[in-house]
């Protein structure tokens, strides 16, 4: 359905009041006269620069202006309201899902047909996050999955065999958390197991046999008893380790992106994490003994939660055909391979190992890992590659939810209230259910 101008106006009112005028926001994102303007994309490394260069080389007649910086939902809505949206937006697929359902992005079915894009090359979970009512509204980019990281030396020092750390048996995991954590009075010295909630709640719910929302994205299931049980269990893991303020204080002190990270220093024994962190650990603390394992459901089956970025084309752009051409090029298997090759060469010049490139394009990944990736001198990388590749097509993803951002805020806010003791799990998730239902109902009007 078309995105109502009245709805945009209501959503952007606060932001526009702070501006000198509506044209100020729109002008900041105004497309080039005969080119393309992106929003939410940056050029941090060769994965980005090499692909943009490939498009520019193939289409020298079309200037491309990369407006660097994170995707700003309010600024995007304001630009649409002003009738001057960027030609392409780049954002998390869950974020884009909310705009898809509200009609702020154009369907890409004609685009992919015109360019003969084989959608079968993309991972099903990633495409599902961009498909609404049978139509495709975006092309997926990187693909992140969640894995289980175990600090082997830290676990052994606590008298536990590393292979015993598992998410299959929740009662056993609670007992292990008690053994692995180190609480000294009101101070937590070591986190035994970090469940990574509220943000990983979809993964814990799935492990317990529940989905947070129906597959069509219209019916939230946040008060499902299995979801409530997942919230209660993960909150209890934190309670066993001193409670949320104490737990968070230690976690916030970690040098997560440095050589003195929590696994290198033994400040944390285990946690689920996005696969990008494997590379961070390998580069900053290559000698740290960290095992990479699949996260498992309560039956012992490997599962994972997928997320990632995507390209979308807003309604109202002047030349959707050119925007489509750019999105197709950026997500094509050959473009990804060239970018991965450039990335590997750049890392080699710095004396650093290449740990692979994980995308939502299965064809690209198969070629990258067959032709570019080779066993590294860091065991963590090799172990990580095997696990991540094995999880890519096992991972699930949340579908398009009409009020994607509000839906996420509802369940994360509820889990946080449980963590802090402000509400019990049943009351918190009932409130979240009401909030999500109301947000989805408003978004669908």
């Amino acid at each position: 359905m078309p995105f109502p101008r009245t709805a945009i106006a209501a959503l952007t009112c606060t932001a526009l009041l702070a501006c000198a005028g509506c044209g100020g926001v729109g002008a900041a994102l105004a497309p080039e006269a005969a080119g393309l303007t992106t929003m939410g994309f940056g050029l941090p490394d060769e994965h980005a620069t090499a692909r943009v260069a490939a498009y520019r080389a193939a289409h020298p007649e079309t200037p491309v202006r990369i407006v660097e910086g994170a995707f700003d939902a309010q600024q995007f809505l304001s630009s649409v309201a002003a009738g001057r949206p960027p030609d392409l937006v780049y954002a998390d697929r869950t974020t884009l899902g909310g705009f898809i359902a509200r009609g702020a992005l154009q369907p890409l079915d004609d685009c992919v047909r015109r360019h003969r894009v084989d959608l079968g090359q993309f991972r099903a979970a990633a495409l599902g996050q961009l498909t609404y009512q049978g139509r495709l509204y975006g092309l997926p980019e990187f693909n992140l999955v969640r894995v289980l990281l175990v600090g082997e030396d830290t676990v052994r020092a606590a008298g536990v065999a590393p292979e015993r750390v598992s998410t299959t048996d929740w009662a056993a995991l609670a007992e292990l958390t008690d053994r692995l954590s180190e609480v000294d009075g009101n101070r937590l010295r070591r986190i035994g197991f970090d469940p990574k909630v509220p943000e990983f709640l979809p993964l814990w719910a799935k492990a317990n046999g529940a989905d947070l929302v129906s597959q069509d994205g219209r019916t939230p299931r946040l008060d499902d008893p299995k979801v409530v049980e997942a919230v209660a269990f993960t909150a209890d893991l934190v309670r066993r380790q001193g409670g949320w303020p104490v737990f968070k204080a230690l976690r916030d002190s970690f040098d997560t992106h440095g050589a003195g990270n929590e696994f290198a220093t033994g400040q944390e024994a285990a946690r689920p994490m996005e696969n990008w962190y494997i590379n961070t650990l390998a580069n900053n603390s290559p000698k740290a003994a960290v095992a990479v394992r699949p996260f498992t459901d309560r039956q012992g089956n490997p599962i994972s939660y997928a997320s990632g970025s995507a390209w979308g084309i807003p309604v109202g752009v002047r030349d959707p055909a050119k925007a489509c051409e750019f999105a197709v090029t950026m997500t094509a298997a050959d473009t990804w391979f060239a970018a991965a090759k450039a990335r590997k060469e750049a890392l080699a010049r710095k004396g650093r190992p290449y740990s692979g490139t994980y995308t939502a394009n299965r064809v690209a990944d198969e070629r990258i890992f067959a032709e570019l990736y080779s066993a590294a001198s860091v065991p963590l990388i090799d172990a990580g590659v095997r696990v991540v590749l094995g999880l890519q097509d096992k991972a699930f993803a949340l579908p398009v939810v009409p009020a994607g951002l509000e839906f996420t805020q509802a369940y994360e806010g509820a889990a946080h209230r449980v963590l802090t003791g402000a509400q019990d799990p049943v009351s918190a998730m009932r409130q979240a259910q009401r909030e999500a239902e109301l947000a989805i109902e408003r978004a669908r009007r």
Side-chain angles (χ1 to χ4, degrees):
M1 63 181 179
F3 200 44
R5 292 280 177 176
T6 53
I8 299 176
L11 287 167
T12 58
C13 179
T14 302
L16 294 178
L17 286 173
C19 301
C22 293
V25 176
L29 291 170
E32 295 280 336
L36 297 171
T37 299
T38 72
M39 179 186 183
F41 189 68
L43 301 170
D45 60 27
E46 295 74 20
H47 284 135
T49 57
R51 288 184 297 138
V52 172
Y55 176 82
R56 285 173 168 157
H59 305 280
E61 76 288 352
T62 305
V64 178
R65 181 162 66 100
I66 305 295
V67 181
E68 298 208 41
F71 177 78
D72 187 315
Q74 192 65 65
Q75 189 179 29
F76 170 61
L77 290 171
S78 299
S79 71
V80 175
R84 307 186 73 181
D87 296 289
L88 297 113
V89 289
Y90 181 83
D92 180 89
R93 296 195 287 266
T94 301
T95 300
L96 287 184
F99 295 119
I100 290 169
R102 284 176 163 136
L105 299 180
Q106 299 186 22
L108 302 185
D109 305 85
D110 290 340
C111 161
V112 297
R113 275 196 297 268
R114 189 165 56 250
H115 288 276
R116 298 180 180 178
V117 177
D118 176 13
L119 294 180
Q121 69 188 305
F122 294 106
R123 301 189 189 280
L127 279 184
Q129 291 186 289
L130 301 165
T131 303
Y132 187 63
Q133 296 181 341
R135 305 197 72 180
L136 179 68
Y137 287 84
L139 289 176
E141 275 235 350
F142 291 102
N143 201 56
L144 298 176
V145 296
R146 276 69 179 166
V147 298
L148 182 63
L149 300 179
V150 180
E152 295 184 303
D153 290 344
T154 301
V155 171
R156 286 195 188 97
V160 176
E163 57 270 18
R164 286 186 58 198
V165 181
S166 165
T167 55
T168 299
D169 185 335
W170 285 11
L173 179 57
E175 293 176 3
L176 275 175
T177 298
D178 291 343
R179 290 189 62 180
L180 295 174
S181 61
E182 186 177 323
V183 183
D184 182 8
N186 292 325
R187 185 179 178 186
L188 180 63
R189 297 186 180 277
R190 181 175 67 226
I191 291 176
F193 189 93
D194 183 352
K196 288 289 288 181
V197 287
E199 57 269 40
F200 282 16
L201 180 57
L203 181 61
W204 287 100
K206 192 74 167 181
N208 203 30
D211 293 309
L212 299 188
V213 65
S214 60
Q215 280 304 302
D216 63 7
R218 298 181 182 183
T219 307
R221 296 172 176 166
L222 301 181
D223 59 352
D224 183 313
K226 291 184 177 181
V227 176
V228 174
E229 184 180 15
V231 172
F233 173 71
T234 52
D236 183 63
L237 290 181
V238 173
R239 181 195 60 77
R240 289 167 176 268
Q241 300 176 86
W244 181 245
V246 172
F247 184 92
K248 188 173 184 297
L250 176 58
R251 191 165 73 177
D252 288 349
S253 73
F254 290 161
D255 179 27
T256 299
H257 300 280
N261 62 74
E262 55 271 30
F263 285 101
T265 59
Q267 292 175 291
E268 182 168 86
R271 74 161 180 261
M273 189 61 181
E274 295 96 336
N275 62 276
W276 61 261
Y277 195 53
I278 297 171
N279 187 53
T280 298
L281 289 174
N283 281 313
N284 291 307
S285 52
K287 294 183 179 180
V290 181
V292 183
R293 304 231 183 87
F295 190 98
T296 55
D297 64 17
R298 299 187 75 174
Q299 288 69 50
N301 303 306
I303 63 168
S304 193
Y305 170 40
S307 62
S309 48
W311 290 101
I313 301 174
V315 295
V317 300
R318 294 169 308 163
D319 197 338
K322 282 185 179 178
C324 163
E325 203 165 45
F326 182 86
V328 168
T329 301
M330 293 292 284
T331 57
D334 288 346
T335 314
W336 272 121
F337 183 82
K341 185 172 183 292
R343 179 63 176 159
K344 179 180 180 179
E345 291 170 350
L347 288 171
R349 289 193 291 271
K350 298 176 183 177
R352 293 166 59 185
Y354 173 64
S355 57
T357 302
Y358 300 97
T359 80
N361 189 316
R362 186 185 300 101
V363 174
D365 285 13
E366 288 173 354
R367 188 179 174 199
I368 287 168
F369 284 95
E371 300 181 33
L372 292 179
Y373 178 78
S374 56
S377 58
V378 182
L380 174 60
I381 292 179
D382 296 325
V385 165
R386 288 192 297 273
V387 173
V388 173
L389 289 179
L391 289 172
Q392 287 280 23
D393 286 321
K394 290 185 175 70
F396 74 96
L398 295 179
V400 173
V401 178
L405 180 59
E406 295 93 330
F407 175 74
T408 302
Q409 290 171 338
Y411 74 72
E412 288 192 352
H416 186 263
R417 292 192 297 274
V418 177
L419 285 169
T420 59
Q423 271 185 300
D424 64 85
V426 173
S427 300
M429 298 317 292
R430 282 178 179 169
Q431 178 181 329
Q433 177 72 12
R434 292 192 297 271
E435 292 171 350
E437 288 174 343
L438 183 59
I440 291 173
E441 181 183 349
R442 282 198 303 258
R444 293 186 62 207
R445 287 175 184 168

